[in-house]
């Protein structure tokens, strides 16, 4: 397997992520149509709850694993230790859920769902987390091509199976969970076997320590993060339970649609944030390099997130009904709110990667605690019925919670990061102002042109043409501006040309 440069790895990651996002979009188009609005609401609820439960049980050990392995590639023992730890927590989670079912408490959290459906949802989340962590192991060793191919294969197989089930009429939540779990398990097995084989070929001598040493080392890394991480995931669980309890499955489905659009965009910028963990870790002691890398990363990430989120924000009234059907028109406003959250979620991931890679775990824990305090306040304001909103705000309420709390916490986090790396605050404000101005103006021009040129077209054809026209004009304007002023993304025209030629 070949080790790539950072730009090469990101091009590989981005290319595969675009393919994965496209395939995942097909899957997410079929699911809401195959399932009823209420069942899709249950799927969204399970996805959010179990993802948080698995991350909570992980105790931030995945962050420790990436940081340690990136710095000490030769130590195969880190991989063995983490895989065994993950297996143990997976078994404990399954026993815990079965115990809740036996005690009769499961119905309080998963109304209308059988124990089999709950266990399938749990293990689908467990396998998704393990897949993400195994790919992070490859990232820590600067290997991107092989896992990218396997990820695309997974999505292609899933798409084929789900499409077949949808058109045959046999697709339901049980079938979806089974397909997802089986296919993901096989891909994980292939990835782990290939990783261990590559590691043995690359490093003939085993560099292992006993598990007690790794346990102590991981404990010291994770200790400042555990409480904050658990609190963060508990808040997500509470937010989703409140939404389901007060607003019902329909509102959960509307929020689920908005969140799935966020997930698709995340396929573009999340790989970049993951790769940054290794990049920051290897230049931790070089103040000049880490300052440049942080500033450039913030430029890149804001442009990436803004390009997608601003366009979707302005054209959500076309995009949401087209993708998910008229039953999900209620998701338009939550989608717009979530797009603002997405914009600063991207920056938050850069800040998180910076703190973890430089082992500022106590600061990371502090900022996580601040974020969760803000979320708790927003839960009381936007989600739980109160004197301001007697019936609560449903899907819009949880979206507002994410947007407001994330914006404030990200501003605090990034302010700290640029302060310790000695970047000027004016530069950070400049990135946001010029990016938002250009993207908003370009998107408005694109949408206005689409309305003018496709005004006579109705139905699905009219919507498709509006999206194509507005998206094309928007993209051309953005690309032209960045080609004329490449310094906006921290590059030169020659550097862009070189990167394109080298990574072609």
């Amino acid at each position: 397997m070949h080790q790539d440069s950072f730009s090469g790895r990101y091009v590989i990651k981005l290319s595969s992520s675009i393919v994965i996002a496209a395939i995942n979009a097909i899957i997410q188009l079929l699911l809401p149509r195959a399932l009823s609005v209420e069942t899709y609401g249950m799927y969204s609820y399970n996805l959010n709850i179990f993802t948080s439960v698995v991350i909570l049980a992980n105790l931030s050990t995945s962050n420790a694993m990436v940081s340690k392995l990136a710095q000490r590639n030769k130590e195969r023992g880190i991989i063995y230790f983490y895989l065994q730890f993950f297996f143990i927590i997976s078994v404990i989670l399954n026993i815990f859920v079965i115990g809740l079912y036996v005690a009769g408490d499961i119905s309080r959290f998963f109304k209308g769902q059988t124990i089999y459906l709950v266990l399938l949802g749990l293990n689908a989340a467990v396998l998704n987390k393990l897949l993400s962590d195994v790919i992070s192991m490859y990232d820590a060793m600067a290997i991107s091509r092989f896992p990218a191919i396997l990820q695309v294969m997974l999505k292609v197989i899933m798409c084929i199976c789900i499409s077949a089930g949808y058109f045959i009429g046999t697709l339901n939540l049980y079938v979806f969970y089974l397909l997802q779990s089986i296919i993901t398990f096989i891909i994980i097995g292939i990835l782990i076997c290939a990783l261990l084989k590559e590691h043995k070929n690359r490093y003939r001598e085993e560099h292992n320590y006993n598990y007690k040493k790794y346990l102590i080392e991981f404990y010291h890394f994770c200790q400042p993060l555990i409480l904050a991480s658990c609190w963060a995931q508990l808040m997500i669980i509470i937010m989703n339970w409140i939404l389901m309890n007060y607003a019902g499955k329909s509102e959960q489905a509307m929020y689920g649609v908005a969140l799935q659009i966020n997930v698709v965009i995340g396929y573009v910028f999340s790989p970049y944030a993951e790769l940054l963990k290794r990049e920051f870790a290897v230049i931790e002691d070089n103040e000049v390099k880490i300052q440049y890398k942080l500033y450039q990363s913030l430029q890149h990430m804001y442009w990436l997130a803004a390009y997608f989120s601003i366009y979707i924000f302005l054209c959500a009234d076309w995009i949401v009904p087209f993708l998910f059907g008229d039953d999900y028109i209620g998701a338009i406003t939550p989608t717009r709110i979530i797009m603002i959250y997405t914009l600063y979620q991207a920056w938050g991931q850069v800040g998180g990667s910076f703190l973890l890679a430089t082992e500022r775990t106590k600061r990371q824990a502090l900022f996580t605690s601040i974020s969760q305090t803000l979320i708790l306040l927003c839960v009381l304001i936007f989600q739980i019925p109160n004197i301001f909103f007697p019936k609560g705000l449903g899907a819009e309420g949880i979206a507002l919670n994410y947007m407001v709390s994330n914006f404030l916490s990200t501003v605090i986090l990034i302010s700290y990061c640029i302060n310790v790396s000695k970047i000027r605050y004016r530069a950070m404000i400049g990135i946001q102002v010029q990016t938002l101005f250009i993207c908003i103006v370009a998107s408005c021009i694109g949408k206005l042109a689409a309305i003018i040129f496709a005004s006579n077209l109705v139905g699905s054809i009219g919507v498709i043409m509006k999206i194509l026209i507005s998206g094309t004009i928007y993209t051309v304007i953005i690309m032209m501006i960045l080609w004329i002023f490449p310094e906006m993304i921290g590059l030169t025209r020659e550097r862009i040309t070189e990167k394109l030629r080298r990574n072609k």
Side-chain angles (χ1 to χ4, degrees):
M1 295 182 191
H2 181 67
Q3 280 190 313
D4 299 286
S5 65
F6 177 77
S7 59
R9 278 181 285 133
Y10 183 62
V11 168
I12 293 167
K13 282 265 187 182
L14 180 60
S15 301
S16 63
S17 293
I18 291 171
V19 176
I20 290 169
I23 298 170
N24 203 58
I26 297 172
I27 294 171
Q28 293 304 324
L29 282 175
L30 295 177
L31 268 182
R33 287 170 167 79
L35 310 175
S36 64
V37 172
E38 289 74 18
T39 305
Y40 187 75
M42 285 196 301
Y43 161 73
S44 174
Y45 179 73
N46 289 351
L47 178 64
N48 298 331
I49 293 289
F50 286 133
T51 299
S52 292
V53 166
V54 174
I55 294 173
L56 189 153
N58 183 262
L59 300 175
S60 294
T61 53
S62 57
N63 291 323
M65 178 271 295
V66 173
S67 179
K68 302 298 180 185
L69 189 59
Q71 296 175 13
R72 290 141 48 189
N73 274 184
K74 293 181 179 180
E75 287 188 36
R76 202 177 308 154
I78 296 173
I79 300 173
Y80 289 140
F81 173 80
Y82 183 75
L83 291 175
Q84 292 189 28
F85 176 83
F86 195 94
F87 175 77
I88 291 169
I89 64 169
S90 301
V91 172
I92 291 172
L93 283 175
N94 277 273
I95 293 172
F96 179 73
V97 169
I98 294 170
L100 281 178
Y101 175 75
V102 172
D105 294 330
I106 199 82
S107 59
R108 297 180 186 177
F109 303 100
F110 303 98
K111 296 178 181 179
Q113 298 188 55
T114 66
I115 182 61
Y116 305 109
L117 189 60
V118 171
L119 284 173
L120 284 171
L122 170 64
N123 285 287
V126 166
L127 289 169
N128 277 336
K129 173 62 177 168
L130 181 56
L131 175 65
S132 174
D133 290 343
V134 172
I135 290 169
S136 293
M137 293 176 186
Y138 278 90
D139 290 339
M141 295 179 64
I143 301 170
S144 296
R145 302 183 189 195
F146 182 70
I149 293 169
L150 267 290
Q151 277 185 289
V152 172
M153 282 181 58
L154 184 151
K155 288 295 181 181
V156 169
I157 296 169
M158 277 289 297
C159 185
I160 292 171
C161 293
I162 288 171
S163 298
Y166 172 73
F167 290 112
I168 294 171
T170 59
L171 183 62
N172 55 43
L173 205 48
Y174 285 96
V175 173
F176 174 77
Y177 280 145
L178 278 171
L179 286 171
Q180 185 182 31
S181 299
I182 293 169
I183 297 168
T184 305
F185 181 79
I186 293 170
I187 296 296
I188 289 171
I190 296 170
L191 283 169
I192 291 174
C193 292
L195 179 67
L196 294 175
K197 183 179 178 180
E198 173 64 18
H199 199 281
K200 289 176 182 178
N201 291 335
R202 188 176 297 182
Y203 308 107
R204 297 294 181 179
E205 295 182 13
E206 284 200 34
H207 294 264
N208 297 334
Y209 296 101
N210 60 60
Y211 286 171
K212 183 178 179 181
K213 180 186 180 301
Y214 285 125
L215 189 62
I216 293 171
E217 189 177 353
F218 271 56
Y219 171 76
H220 286 304
F221 183 98
C222 298
Q223 184 185 16
L225 299 172
I226 290 173
L227 184 60
S229 177
C230 290
W231 187 14
Q233 300 310 317
L234 281 172
M235 286 306 305
I236 293 174
I237 293 169
I238 290 168
M239 288 163 63
N240 280 273
W241 182 82
I242 288 172
L243 177 61
M244 180 69 87
N245 191 60
Y246 285 105
K249 296 174 183 176
S250 178
E251 286 297 301
Q252 184 76 49
M254 299 304 130
Y255 166 64
V257 163
L259 199 61
Q260 283 305 314
I261 296 175
N262 165 267
V263 169
V264 171
I265 299 173
Y267 280 118
V268 177
F269 62 75
S270 292
Y272 187 89
E274 285 299 313
L275 293 176
L276 282 175
K277 290 178 183 177
R278 184 180 189 276
E279 295 306 303
F280 287 138
V282 297
I283 59 173
E284 178 187 0
D285 298 326
N286 191 314
E287 185 177 319
V288 175
K289 284 186 177 180
I290 206 162
Q291 181 192 65
Y292 173 76
K293 175 57 70 175
L294 178 60
Y295 179 70
Q296 188 186 54
S297 300
L298 290 171
Q299 282 182 304
H300 292 173
M301 193 65 96
Y302 204 79
W303 270 102
L304 274 172
Y307 170 75
F308 292 100
S309 59
I310 296 300
Y311 175 73
I312 294 173
F313 178 91
L314 290 172
C315 298
D317 51 332
W318 297 339
I319 293 171
V320 172
F322 171 70
L323 291 178
F324 300 99
D326 292 337
D327 290 339
Y328 294 90
I329 287 177
I332 292 173
T333 301
T335 298
R336 284 180 166 144
I337 298 170
I338 285 292
M339 286 305 100
I340 303 173
Y341 159 75
T342 303
L343 189 59
Y344 286 91
Q345 176 195 20
W347 257 17
Q349 289 187 6
V350 174
S353 295
F354 175 79
L355 294 180
L356 291 170
T358 55
E359 301 204 10
R360 290 179 167 91
T361 52
K362 290 183 180 179
R363 293 293 182 184
Q364 172 76 345
L366 173 63
F367 292 126
T368 302
S369 298
I370 292 171
S371 173
Q372 301 318 304
T373 302
L374 291 170
I375 286 175
L376 181 59
L377 291 173
C378 289
V379 165
L380 298 175
I381 296 170
F382 299 122
Q383 288 194 252
I384 295 177
N386 53 59
I387 57 173
F388 302 107
F389 307 108
K391 295 182 180 179
L393 293 174
E396 295 174 14
I398 192 171
L400 280 168
N401 187 339
Y402 272 106
M403 183 195 76
V404 174
S405 61
N406 183 70
F407 172 77
L408 295 174
S409 59
T410 298
V411 168
I412 296 169
L413 168 62
I414 296 301
S415 296
Y416 170 79
C417 292
I418 65 175
N419 182 57
V420 297
S421 59
K422 300 178 182 178
I423 299 172
R424 293 176 301 168
Y425 285 92
R426 187 183 299 175
M428 293 299 97
I429 295 172
I431 291 173
Q432 298 171 74
V433 171
Q434 69 181 14
T435 305
L436 289 177
F437 177 77
I438 292 169
C439 288
I440 290 171
V441 171
S443 188
C444 288
I445 293 171
K447 186 168 186 179
L448 182 61
I451 292 171
I452 293 170
F453 290 115
S455 59
N456 295 327
L457 299 175
V458 295
S460 298
I461 299 297
V463 173
I464 292 172
M465 289 306 299
K466 286 176 182 177
I467 293 172
L468 287 175
I469 293 170
S470 60
T472 301
I473 294 173
Y474 173 68
T475 301
V476 169
I477 293 172
I478 297 293
M479 293 301 106
M480 286 176 60
I481 290 172
L482 293 181
W483 180 253
I484 298 169
F485 304 105
E487 62 274 8
M488 288 184 177
I489 52 174
L491 296 171
T492 63
R493 197 173 296 116
E494 293 75 18
R495 183 65 174 157
I496 294 172
T497 305
E498 180 190 342
K499 284 179 176 289
L500 290 173
R501 185 174 63 251
R502 189 171 61 199
N503 295 314
K504 186 175 181 180

